[in-house]
Amino acid sequence: MDNVRLGARAIADSLIEHIRGNSETKYTPIATRETEFKELIVHGEYEDIRVRDLPAEQYGAIKEVDGIHCLVFDTDNIPNEVLIEHKELFLEIHKQKDGFAVGDRGGVAKVMKNPDSDINSIFDQYVDRLPRRFLPVFEDALALRATERIQNLSRGTVYDWRGEIADDHRRRGNDPMEAQHLISLTSTGYFDNGGVFDEMYAELVKKGSRTSKDYSDIIDTYIRKNPFAVFVRSNGMTAEEVCTLTIDKAKRIERYPWSPGFIDICGKGEGTYEIIDQAHVILDNDYDAEMSEYRDPDIEQYILRVSPDTL
């Protein structure tokens, strides 16, 4: 806790320097709220640090959260330059108490979505390609993926975060299942530069005769129907079920515009690996299917790519 308190003090010092460097305030005394914030960090009595919403322009406050006195930050009210400078500390805050508070999801997303983040570059690439209703989900899905790659989020935390994103999509009048599909497709990297959907755009629009509106309609279908990826769950999903889903998708994939020509069986975490391996054996023995494996150890991802023509 002492290290985090020292880090929080560094944030307060950065805020003061930021105000001093601002052309509009460089010749005026430091605003009271910056010095009060530093005093709160240095001398305040708190046992933990959280990210929560506070009134406009209030940097921090001491509040009781789950029966514990916490120093609460609001990342909306802290200048972006300061957030970027201390990104690692803000992420460390979310590791308190051996886990990630789902209520802090917005705070993490704000920190992750800084100008130097891959989130912005990928999001900007698709802002005019995706149907508008998907953009909030896509941005949150990118923030979740970026956070997963930095923190060791528990399976339950990821599940809860995904649920919140899908619930937000539902409250906007949309199907929560399509939000879940989009989160999974984003997590697996299909929207990355050179990924499946980027290649699809290049072939259909840049090199082909389709319009951006055509592409948007096609990607809408791919997100809603999820025709080429089987996402394996470690609980309540069997290898036989995975094979059935894979075969069903293989029979239908050529019906979709610009079929990628494969079915991916995707799993994250050790709980899914055994299921995928078992499915591999079944598809090999029963169909002599043509398959290849891809692994991304940074996010514990395992993909078994199956050729539909061999099923």
Side-chain angles (χ1 to χ4, degrees):
M1 185 62 194
D2 289 341
N3 289 337
V4 176
R5 188 185 287 261
L6 287 172
R9 178 170 179 169
I11 293 173
D13 289 336
S14 293
L15 275 169
I16 292 173
E17 289 303 314
H18 177 78
I19 295 300
R20 283 179 176 156
N22 188 303
S23 60
E24 296 179 0
T25 58
K26 64 191 301 183
Y27 299 112
T28 62
I30 297 298
T32 302
R33 64 192 184 102
E34 280 78 27
T35 54
E36 288 180 348
F37 182 52
K38 184 173 181 177
E39 286 294 310
L40 187 70
I41 290 172
V42 175
H43 301 296
E45 295 184 4
Y46 51 91
E47 304 169 62
D48 204 350
I49 299 180
R50 298 290 180 91
V51 174
R52 289 287 194 275
D53 289 331
L54 292 172
E57 298 186 351
Q58 185 176 359
Y59 296 129
I62 293 179
K63 293 180 174 289
E64 187 172 306
V65 180
D66 298 329
I68 299 172
H69 286 90
C70 298
L71 175 65
V72 176
F73 287 96
D74 189 337
T75 50
D76 269 343
N77 300 337
I78 295 176
N80 202 45
E81 295 86 346
V82 177
L83 289 178
I84 295 170
E85 181 181 352
H86 297 285
K87 183 176 77 171
E88 295 302 322
L89 174 63
F90 278 107
L91 293 176
E92 183 65 27
I93 288 170
H94 292 80
K95 295 181 182 179
Q96 296 299 307
K97 297 183 180 178
D98 192 31
F100 178 98
V102 176
D104 295 343
R105 173 172 65 85
V108 170
K110 294 165 197 168
V111 175
M112 295 305 301
K113 288 183 272 190
N114 68 67
D116 298 326
S117 170
D118 288 343
I119 292 174
N120 276 344
S121 63
I122 297 174
F123 182 81
D124 290 345
Q125 189 174 35
Y126 283 93
V127 71
D128 293 323
R129 298 181 184 180
L130 289 177
R132 303 298 296 178
R133 76 180 187 282
F134 288 133
L135 292 179
V137 176
F138 187 50
E139 191 170 27
D140 280 343
L142 287 167
L144 171 57
R145 187 181 74 164
T147 307
E148 273 193 281
R149 290 181 173 179
I150 292 176
Q151 297 188 33
N152 184 26
L153 300 183
S154 70
R155 200 175 309 160
T157 293
V158 173
Y159 179 84
D160 288 343
W161 190 341
R162 289 177 62 116
E164 282 201 350
I165 297 172
D167 283 345
D168 288 344
H169 192 60
R170 176 183 54 78
R171 281 190 286 269
R172 291 189 291 268
N174 304 304
D175 181 1
M177 183 53 66
E178 66 181 17
Q180 293 285 1
H181 289 165
L182 179 51
I183 296 167
S184 295
L185 293 166
T186 302
S187 174
T188 310
Y190 294 123
F191 289 95
D192 289 358
N193 184 32
V196 170
F197 295 123
D198 191 34
E199 289 186 3
M200 182 188 296
Y201 185 83
E203 292 295 326
L204 294 178
V205 181
K206 291 182 178 178
K207 300 177 184 178
S209 59
R210 298 295 187 100
T211 66
S212 294
K213 176 62 168 60
D214 293 334
Y215 176 86
S216 180
D217 291 342
I218 291 170
I219 208 74
D220 187 303
T221 301
Y222 268 82
I223 293 171
R224 286 188 294 106
K225 300 295 187 179
N226 182 28
F228 69 89
V230 176
F231 296 108
V232 179
R233 303 185 308 274
S234 58
N235 295 324
M237 198 171 193
T238 66
E240 289 76 14
E241 181 182 358
V242 169
C243 291
T244 299
L245 290 170
T246 301
I247 294 166
D248 183 61
K249 289 178 184 289
K251 292 177 180 177
R252 301 170 183 270
I253 188 61
E254 292 302 328
R255 302 178 187 178
Y256 292 85
W258 202 86
S259 164
F262 57 76
I263 304 297
D264 278 350
I265 302 174
C266 311
K268 274 190 176 181
E270 293 183 1
T272 65
Y273 298 166
E274 184 177 355
I275 298 172
I276 296 176
D277 285 338
Q278 290 171 355
H280 192 168
V281 172
I282 295 171
L283 294 173
D284 187 36
N285 291 340
D286 293 355
Y287 296 91
D288 194 23
E290 183 179 318
M291 295 173 281
S292 55
E293 297 180 0
Y294 302 88
R295 294 179 185 266
D296 185 344
D298 290 339
I299 54 174
E300 298 184 330
Q301 184 168 265
Y302 176 18
I303 295 176
L304 179 65
R305 181 159 293 180
V306 185
S307 174
D309 296 338
T310 61
L311 291 177

